[in-house]
Amino acid sequence: MNSIHSRLNPFVLMLDPEAVISAMEDSKMLRSLRQRICRPLDKPLIPKTHTIDRIALRDYDAVIDAEEFMDSGVHFYAEAQPALQAAVH
C-alpha cells in the first residue's frame, strides 16, 4: 500500500500505533495548539433545587409509590399464545 494511503487509512494506523505517536510528536500543527485544562465536572451543570421543589418532588414520589400495582394483563396474552403458557406459569 502506498505510504500516503497508509497514513490516511485509520485501520492501517491501528495496526501501527508507534507510527501514529511519532507522527503526533513530530506534528508542528499539534505542537502549536494552545493547551488548556478543562475540568467540566468541577462545577455541577444542574443547579441545586430549592427546598420547596424538593418537598414537592418528594410528595409526588410518595403519591406514585402509594398507588396500587396495575396488572398488565400479561396472563391474558399468555393464554392466547400456547407457547408462552409454560413461561408464565
Side-chain angles (χ1 to χ4, degrees), residues 59-80:
D59 292 343
Y60 177 75
D61 287 342
V63 169
I64 297 295
D65 291 340
E67 288 182 357
E68 288 188 32
F69 176 71
M70 187 174 130
D71 187 13
S72 65
V74 71
H75 62 280
F76 294 121
Y77 180 76
E79 288 173 6

Side-chain angles (χ1 to χ4, degrees), residues 12-83:
V12 173
L13 293 176
M14 284 191 288
L15 296 175
D16 191 10
E18 291 86 15
V20 174
I21 292 170
S22 67
M24 288 170 44
E25 290 171 346
D26 295 338
S27 172
K28 291 179 184 177
M29 293 175 70
L30 286 177
R31 276 188 270 131
S32 67
L33 290 175
R34 292 187 346 191
Q35 294 181 356
R36 180 176 54 173
I37 298 173
C38 296
R39 295 191 175 117
L41 299 177
D42 286 349
K43 295 181 182 177
L45 297 177
I46 301 172
K48 292 182 180 179
T49 59
H50 298 288
T51 306
I52 296 170
D53 293 339
R54 284 187 279 167
I55 292 171
L57 183 61
R58 188 185 64 213
D59 292 343
Y60 177 75
D61 287 342
V63 169
I64 297 295
D65 291 340
E67 288 182 357
E68 288 188 32
F69 176 71
M70 187 174 130
D71 187 13
S72 65
V74 71
H75 62 280
F76 294 121
Y77 180 76
E79 288 173 6
Q81 302 291 326

